[in-house]
Amino acid sequence: MEPILIIRNLRVAIEGREILRGVNLEVRPGEVHAIMGPNGSGKSTLAAVLAGREEYEVLEGTVLFEGKNLLEMEPEERARAGLFLAFQYPVEIPGVTMATFLRTALNEIRKVRGLEPLDPVAFLKLARERMEWVDIDPSFLQRSVNEGFSGGEKKRNEIFQLLLLEPRLAILDETDSGLDIDALKIVASGVNRMRSPERAFVVITHYQRLLNYIIPDFVHVLYDGRIVRSGGKELALELEERGYDWLRPDSEEVILPTVDER
Amino acid sequence: MAVQQDDILQQVTSAEYKYGFVAPIEEEIAPIGLNEEIIRYIWERKGEPEWMLEWRLRAYRHWKTMQEPRWAKVVYPPIDYQGISYYAAPKKRHVRSLDEIDPEIRRMFEKLGIPLEEQKLLAGVAVDAVLDSASVATTFKEKLAELGIIFCSMSEAIQKYPELVQKYLGSVVPYTDNFFAALNSAVFSDGSFVYVPPGVRCPMELSTYFRINAARTGQFERTLIIADEGSYVSYLEGCTAPMRDEHQLHAAVVELIALDGAEIKYSTVQNWYPGDREGRGGIYNFVTKRGICLGKESKISWTQVETGSAITWKYPSVILKGEGSVGEFYSVAVTNNFQQADTGTKMIHIGRHTRSRIVSKGIAAGRSSNTYRGLVRILRSADHARNYTQCDSLLIGSSCGAHTFPYIEVLNPTAVTEHEATTSKIGEDMLFYCRQRGISEEDAVALIVNGYCREVLSHLPMEFAVEAQKLLAISLEGSVG
């Protein structure tokens, strides 16, 4: 099957500093790719660039999303084409209810898919069903977007939006950060319900923990702006055990002195 | 409100001021300039009783001694008060039914989406349509008359209900109050008059659409609303004006009187021509609006959505005289391009246990200036008075300005006042979050702004709230990106 996403030699800078230094990645429908790496390795930059944040400068490389040049598309065009980003830090929008926000979003996306807009009743029905999947109370729909939500609620809310908007490619940016084990399981079960032969996931995470529940097909290690190693799900376990330093591109298994030895 | 969202978002596509056209209607226009002769001219044309001439002349003579106020944070070239015509009336008048209205006028109202037709009955809105200075049509009067409610033009009220007019006209805003109020008192041509008798709850929203049409004529509306004991009335005022290259002066006066246990709700959506993107043209809107809670446990509530005019100078106020009376002010003021707004409210607490609430949302975009100016004055007599003020400013872009001038004067130690103020910007993060969900940047701004104003919009009657949401979106078009 044709890849949904093809990233070739992507080099990206912000404020003159190069963060991604030649990333290559192919994601096919039905696959779950985990991208792991230490802090500052460029994981979130990759997510942001794919979603279309404007403050990043693409120095080189191409990104094809279902054959189209993703980097030339506006953020909303990417979203309507089926690219979804679950934000690491979801944004609060005071006074705008979840219902208004999501119905507006969903109907924009449906328009592109050639579907009729959902009326409020149909929307409510669909939204309630999907909220149940991630254990969110229906009263959330009348609350302002992310306002006053706890950290865990915000993350579940991101996954709820994923369930509702049914993207072709979902990028989860550290969705597991700040979640306790119960919330993590709920989030994972929501994602797993959405796994299908047509849909792909890119799961960005610092820790292996989430990958116990969302089993990836591939694990990639992003280090210093490059993917330095790719493997199956067992790579995540290895990383959990050994950390990241042994993968440093410029050193073979350098073992840094511990505090005691210094 | 979610229901309306798509509709609203679709409306956001036309960029220019939608209501800028001039309808060719025959008008009778007073000679340019202002003197006692002109006052007489207006008085004669309107066929008013003698006491009105005296009233107008007193106001005019006082006006001549006054200075145009300069304390507001607005800048404009000097106004040549002798270069304006102070009266314009459509020639065909005295209509008894809708059929008699000049077809041109009706077409214009239709273009504006003002349903002066029978459908209005279904919507439960009676319309007293004011075109330029003279009232053209008043509907549903009979239905209201059954309840003893008077809803007519000010001219008609002067003729038919002189005792009510004489008792209350100028009782809340005397002609000595300020420069523009004095000018209005001297030359006002028409407006609306409402009287609700004791214990009557007005069953429909009363509404007036104002419209400035003739070139180089100021419009000087005069509105007087009296709610007698235990009555209730909700009044809607909506405004649009045709596009003109020259500035137009508008100086209205609105007076509200609430007796014991009465409640008046006054809602405005103001959408006058704001000038073009370079700041040319636009209406000067210098309005004096004030209500008095004369009776015990009475209530006056102002809600305004101000998106139009080149300059807005407006402070709908409440004098809280009756014990336990309540004053409210809910405001959204939007300025874009080169618009200037200096608006807010005054809450004057005189009676014991009086309460007031102020919620102001200022939104500035383009190179505009948006100022909140408010006064909360609690007099010595106002034991246990309370005020809550919330005053928020939202900036879009980096060339606009938001300013807040809250004055709080408390002379009674038992009073409690609270003031909260915030200033924020529509952040890139907020916009990006919306866009990542498939919502365009322009729609995202409309969504965010409507959310920001929700508390105020929720105080508008439903059909007005929808109109207001559309206006907010339209007036902020092109403000980002």
Side-chain angles (χ1 to χ4, degrees):
Chain A
M1 218 186 280
E2 281 299 303
I4 290 184
L5 182 72
I6 303 172
I7 302 174
R8 288 210 186 99
N9 190 30
L10 184 63
R11 290 176 56 222
V12 172
I14 187 163
E15 288 163 358
R17 205 161 57 90
E18 195 169 335
I19 308 288
L20 298 182
R21 306 195 304 158
V23 171
N24 292 288
L25 183 68
E26 284 195 12
V27 178
R28 281 164 214 280
E31 294 175 351
V32 173
H33 290 248
I35 295 182
M36 302 183 70
N39 288 329
S41 59
K43 300 189 301 290
S44 286
T45 297
L46 180 61
V49 169
L50 292 178
R53 277 216 80 129
E54 274 148 14
E55 56 267 44
Y56 292 92
E57 190 192 350
V58 176
L59 305 172
E60 202 185 337
T62 54
V63 180
L64 294 178
F65 181 67
E66 304 206 287
K68 284 174 287 186
N69 182 349
L70 186 74
L71 300 176
E72 278 182 355
M73 295 161 79
E74 293 292 325
E76 57 267 38
E77 291 171 342
R78 302 179 193 203
R80 292 169 192 169
L83 185 145
F84 179 92
L85 172 65
F87 284 66
Q88 184 178 4
Y89 303 108
V91 180
E92 299 185 2
I93 310 178
V96 178
T97 63
M98 287 295 303
T100 301
F101 178 71
L102 285 180
R103 199 164 76 83
T104 306
L106 181 60
N107 283 339
E108 287 293 345
I109 289 167
R110 287 176 66 91
K111 208 187 290 171
V112 173
R113 293 178 188 165
L115 299 168
E116 287 293 306
L118 282 189
D119 63 52
V121 178
F123 169 78
L124 211 62
K125 190 163 173 274
L126 181 68
R128 285 207 170 127
E129 176 196 290
R130 301 295 150 100
M131 291 173 103
E132 219 167 84
W133 293 5
V134 277
D135 198 23
I136 291 178
D137 192 89
S139 66
F140 263 58
L141 287 173
Q142 294 316 315
R143 288 173 64 181
S144 295
V145 176
N146 290 318
E147 201 184 33
F149 289 21
S150 71
E153 284 174 336
K154 282 183 181 168
K155 295 298 176 73
R156 269 188 287 158
N157 188 30
E158 291 295 293
I159 301 305
F160 159 54
Q161 296 181 45
L162 189 165
L163 301 179
L164 190 72
L165 301 178
E166 302 179 342
R168 292 272 289 149
L169 173 70
I171 302 163
L172 275 56
D173 187 10
E174 307 223 6
T175 300
D176 51 336
S177 68
L179 287 188
D180 62 31
I181 193 71
D182 293 331
L184 191 75
K185 283 180 183 169
I186 291 168
V187 161
S189 80
V191 170
N192 288 330
R193 264 186 113 137
M194 290 299 277
R195 289 181 75 157
S196 85
E198 292 80 41
R199 186 170 291 123
F201 290 84
V202 172
V203 179
I204 292 170
T205 180
H206 190 75
Y207 301 104
Q208 183 270 339
R209 196 175 63 145
L210 178 66
L211 304 179
N212 288 333
Y213 303 98
I214 303 172
I215 313 288
D217 301 299
F218 302 94
V219 174
H220 310 276
V221 180
L222 193 63
Y223 203 121
D224 208 7
R226 289 197 187 97
I227 290 177
V228 294
R229 183 161 303 210
S230 297
K233 60 176 190 257
E234 63 290 341
L235 178 57
L237 293 167
E238 194 175 357
L239 290 167
E240 183 78 358
E241 203 171 301
R242 302 178 67 184
Y244 291 107
D245 279 330
W246 60 285
L247 288 167
R248 244 157 74 161
D250 53 352
S251 63
E252 288 296 320
E253 304 236 27
V254 176
I255 297 169
L256 294 174
T258 64
V259 177
D260 290 337
E261 284 167 343
R262 228 180 291 163
Chain B
M1 290 204 184
V3 190
Q4 307 298 336
Q5 205 62 47
D6 294 322
D7 190 17
I8 290 153
L9 296 179
Q10 275 165 19
Q11 300 269 343
V12 188
T13 45
S14 57
E16 295 294 316
Y17 183 73
K18 276 175 62 190
Y19 302 129
F21 56 86
V22 179
I25 297 167
E26 261 194 284
E27 282 185 302
E28 187 183 335
I29 298 177
I32 283 172
L34 186 56
N35 51 49
E36 297 204 1
E37 282 305 298
I38 293 290
I39 307 270
R40 272 175 203 282
Y41 173 92
I42 295 168
W43 173 75
E44 269 169 27
R45 283 294 174 287
K46 300 188 61 61
E48 289 174 350
E50 192 69 28
W51 56 267
M52 271 308 297
L53 179 63
E54 284 162 29
W55 201 83
R56 287 175 181 278
L57 285 172
R58 266 203 308 276
Y60 170 70
R61 285 166 194 153
H62 189 78
W63 176 73
K64 283 203 299 183
T65 70
M66 297 176 94
Q67 294 284 323
E68 198 175 325
R70 283 287 171 196
W71 43 262
K73 196 173 164 34
V74 294
V75 182
Y76 55 94
I79 297 170
D80 177 9
Y81 290 93
Q82 295 300 340
I84 304 170
S85 167
Y86 285 86
Y87 184 73
K91 266 181 182 163
K92 265 183 98 180
R93 299 198 57 213
H94 304 298
V95 286
R96 257 160 277 134
S97 79
L98 289 174
D99 302 334
E100 286 179 44
I101 294 177
D102 188 330
E104 273 299 325
I105 293 179
R106 289 181 65 178
R107 250 196 298 284
M108 183 162 76
F109 282 142
E110 275 158 29
K111 252 199 228 177
L112 283 170
I114 302 169
L116 199 70
E117 314 295 337
E118 295 294 322
Q119 303 99 285
K120 224 32 188 162
L121 186 62
L122 300 170
V125 179
V127 177
D128 177 23
V130 175
L131 182 81
D132 279 0
S133 307
S135 283
V136 180
T138 303
T139 50
F140 304 109
K141 255 201 263 186
E142 282 164 30
K143 178 151 194 223
L144 294 171
E146 283 170 25
L147 293 162
I149 296 169
I150 303 167
F151 177 38
C152 64
S153 69
M154 186 59 89
S155 314
E156 192 179 335
I158 288 168
Q159 305 289 349
K160 284 195 185 163
Y161 313 102
E163 55 305 317
L164 278 173
V165 174
Q166 275 183 289
K167 183 170 177 190
Y168 290 111
L169 189 69
S171 70
V172 192
V173 181
Y175 63 79
T176 52
D177 189 85
N178 69 71
F179 183 83
F180 298 114
L183 181 62
N184 175 287
S185 301
V187 302
F188 81 82
S189 46
D190 218 330
S192 294
F193 177 84
V194 177
Y195 171 78
V196 189
V200 171
R201 198 181 161 84
C202 184
M204 56 181 89
E205 316 272 1
L206 302 180
S207 97
T208 301
Y209 287 86
F210 295 91
R211 184 169 170 78
I212 299 173
N213 194 51
R216 288 193 304 118
T217 55
Q219 182 158 2
F220 303 93
E221 299 293 337
R222 189 88 196 189
T223 298
L224 179 58
I225 299 175
I226 303 148
D228 214 324
E229 292 179 12
S231 68
Y232 168 85
V233 63
S234 168
Y235 188 88
L236 318 182
E237 176 198 335
C239 310
T240 55
M243 186 179 289
R244 275 300 156 92
D245 209 19
E246 61 206 283
H247 291 302
Q248 289 182 300
L249 174 64
H250 184 97
V253 172
V254 176
E255 296 175 281
L256 312 181
I257 295 120
L259 301 183
D260 282 0
E263 180 176 350
I264 301 174
K265 189 173 161 56
Y266 193 104
S267 311
T268 306
V269 171
Q270 188 264 117
N271 178 31
W272 283 330
Y273 181 50
D276 67 13
R277 280 167 187 275
E278 272 72 51
R280 287 187 298 261
I283 304 287
Y284 289 179
N285 188 22
F286 302 132
V287 183
T288 307
K289 288 183 166 175
R290 192 177 302 151
I292 183 164
C293 287
L294 211 50
K296 277 187 294 190
E297 311 286 330
S298 56
K299 180 176 175 182
I300 288 177
S301 183
W302 299 99
T303 306
Q304 63 172 22
V305 175
E306 303 278 320
T307 61
S309 297
I311 299 175
T312 299
W313 180 98
K314 181 180 170 188
Y315 315 91
S317 307
V318 184
I319 299 167
L320 296 147
K321 190 152 184 273
E323 192 174 324
S325 58
V326 176
E328 292 177 337
F329 175 74
Y330 298 99
S331 170
V332 171
V334 181
T335 51
N336 198 356
N337 299 320
F338 286 85
Q339 280 178 279
Q340 306 172 67
D342 190 311
T343 185
T345 184
K346 289 189 274 187
M347 293 290 173
I348 313 295
H349 292 255
I350 300 171
R352 302 172 64 222
H353 297 285
T354 48
R355 283 171 293 148
S356 63
R357 183 179 171 83
I358 298 168
V359 178
S360 165
K361 305 274 181 178
I363 300 162
R367 306 188 56 176
S368 67
S369 163
N370 200 320
T371 300
Y372 168 82
R373 186 183 303 276
L375 169 67
V376 176
R377 177 180 287 157
I378 296 179
L379 300 184
R380 213 176 296 276
S381 53
D383 290 341
H384 307 290
R386 290 193 69 116
N387 163 263
Y388 172 78
T389 300
Q390 185 191 333
C391 178
D392 299 328
S393 305
L394 185 68
L395 301 171
I396 301 172
S398 52
S399 307
C400 53
H403 316 274
T404 307
F405 300 101
Y407 301 82
I408 302 171
E409 298 173 15
V410 181
L411 299 174
N412 186 308
T414 63
V416 179
T417 65
E418 290 173 76
H419 183 96
E420 287 179 24
T422 68
T423 302
S424 49
K425 280 188 81 163
I426 290 192
E428 279 300 317
D429 286 352
M430 244 188 229
L431 286 175
F432 182 71
Y433 191 73
C434 294
R435 295 176 77 190
Q436 210 303 305
R437 296 301 183 248
I439 301 167
S440 73
E441 192 166 42
E442 202 104 287
D443 292 349
V445 170
L447 198 65
I448 293 165
V449 166
N450 273 312
Y452 175 77
C453 302
R454 186 161 72 154
E455 188 182 352
V456 172
L457 298 179
S458 69
H459 287 275
L460 288 174
M462 188 57 197
E463 67 271 32
F464 235 35
V466 172
E467 172 89 345
Q469 283 189 309
K470 289 179 191 168
L471 267 181
L472 288 182
I474 290 167
S475 49
L476 287 169
E477 271 166 36
S479 59
V480 289

